[in-house]
Amino acid sequence: RECHKLKNIILPQSLDSIGDYAFRACSQLPGYLHIPESCTKIEENAFYCCVNLIEISLPSKLKRIEEWTFSACSALKSLDIPNSVNYIASRYAINGLTINTLTLPEEYSADALGELDNPNLTTIVWNSISYPSNYVYNGTYSYYGLGAWYSSHSGSRCSNGEITTIIFGEKVESLPKYLCYCMSSLTTLYSKNTVPPILSTNTFVDCNNIQHVYVPTESVEEYKTQWNQFADKIVGYDFE
């Protein structure tokens, strides 16, 4: 860690995990890093503040991403998290990036979203959504959502910046409360499921600038009925 002169690494094909602080603040690591398919876990702080990393290829067998793993990797422009990942630490695992597009794994739980903080993020691709029954605390305490985290005790807030587009995959069946709370920058939604996902109370509260909602062409009328708040914005779209 903190090897500021380290400019190249070759990770063995038999690698099963990357340990705590392994490459923390190795500021001269190259722009592209390929992590072998055999790796299933990346420990906390493993690549924290690797400021020259532009692209990371994550293995399809990866299971866990721990705290601060990619936080402050300020040159990363996109991050495609494989569907094999079943745990992303809610504490700043992928914060402080300049990424524009974030593709979330299918089993990524919505309860961790509140601590994402990536001000340049414009597009979220979310193929499936899971969330615990206690996802949102009552209004006296806290709201957790994709757009912002707000605590009425501290008045603190963290933001996912200027998200304009969210793409919900065909496996998304319902959307939790306050998922897109206070996302004033959100203008476009895509929903690939031919059956409209069930909206919860205030899923899109204070999202006042949504202009286009693209849904499967054959499901337009059903979406207009189920998502009636967007009835005049729903447009048929032929998803490939």
Side-chain angles (χ1 to χ4, degrees), residues 133-217:
S133 58
N134 63 346
Y135 169 62
V136 177
Y137 298 101
N138 69 53
T140 305
Y141 297 100
S142 303
Y143 300 140
Y144 290 86
L146 186 58
W149 173 87
Y150 173 76
S151 169
S152 59
H153 288 304
S154 64
S156 62
R157 181 189 299 272
C158 70
S159 170
N160 279 319
E162 299 300 320
I163 296 174
T164 62
T165 304
I166 301 178
I167 302 171
F168 296 115
E170 58 185 13
K171 294 182 180 180
V172 174
E173 298 179 348
S174 63
L175 302 178
K177 296 178 181 180
Y178 300 104
L179 177 67
C180 299
Y181 169 68
C182 202
M183 292 179 66
S184 60
S185 60
L186 186 61
T187 62
T188 306
L189 300 175
Y190 291 85
S191 182
K192 295 183 178 182
N193 196 335
T194 55
V195 178
I198 298 170
L199 301 183
S200 301
T201 305
N202 293 321
T203 295
F204 294 103
V205 66
D206 291 335
C207 296
N208 300 320
N209 294 311
I210 295 175
Q211 300 298 318
H212 307 287
V213 180
Y214 296 102
V215 305
T217 301

Side-chain angles (χ1 to χ4, degrees), residues 46-116:
F47 294 99
Y48 174 79
C49 205
C50 289
V51 295
N52 278 330
L53 279 179
I54 296 173
E55 183 179 357
I56 298 176
S57 173
L58 298 177
S60 61
K61 296 180 180 180
L62 186 66
K63 298 296 184 183
R64 296 175 65 89
I65 299 176
E66 303 292 344
E67 295 179 358
W68 304 95
T69 297
F70 298 115
S71 187
C73 292
S74 56
L76 273 180
K77 298 301 182 185
S78 66
L79 190 62
D80 191 343
I81 301 174
N83 286 333
S84 58
V85 172
N86 54 34
Y87 174 82
I88 301 175
S90 62
R91 189 178 180 188
Y92 315 121
I94 51 177
N95 281 13
L97 312 183
T98 58
I99 58 175
N100 303 123
T101 301
L102 176 63
T103 300
L104 295 168
E106 290 188 0
E107 296 304 317
Y108 185 49
S109 178
D111 63 328
L113 284 173
E115 294 192 57
L116 288 180

Side-chain angles (χ1 to χ4, degrees), residues 212-233:
H212 307 287
V213 180
Y214 296 102
V215 305
T217 301
E218 66 270 30
S219 304
V220 166
E221 294 306 316
E222 189 173 359
Y223 268 89
K224 286 185 176 181
T225 299
Q226 299 298 324
W227 289 25
N228 54 43
Q229 69 192 93
F230 302 122
D232 61 336
K233 306 181 190 305

Side-chain angles (χ1 to χ4, degrees), residues 2-9 23-32 48-54:
E2 299 183 16
C3 296
H4 300 298
K5 294 183 179 181
L6 182 64
K7 295 183 177 182
N8 189 36
I9 56 172
F23 301 103
R24 185 184 190 274
C26 292
S27 58
Q28 297 302 312
L29 279 181
Y32 174 79
Y48 174 79
C49 205
C50 289
V51 295
N52 278 330
L53 279 179
I54 296 173

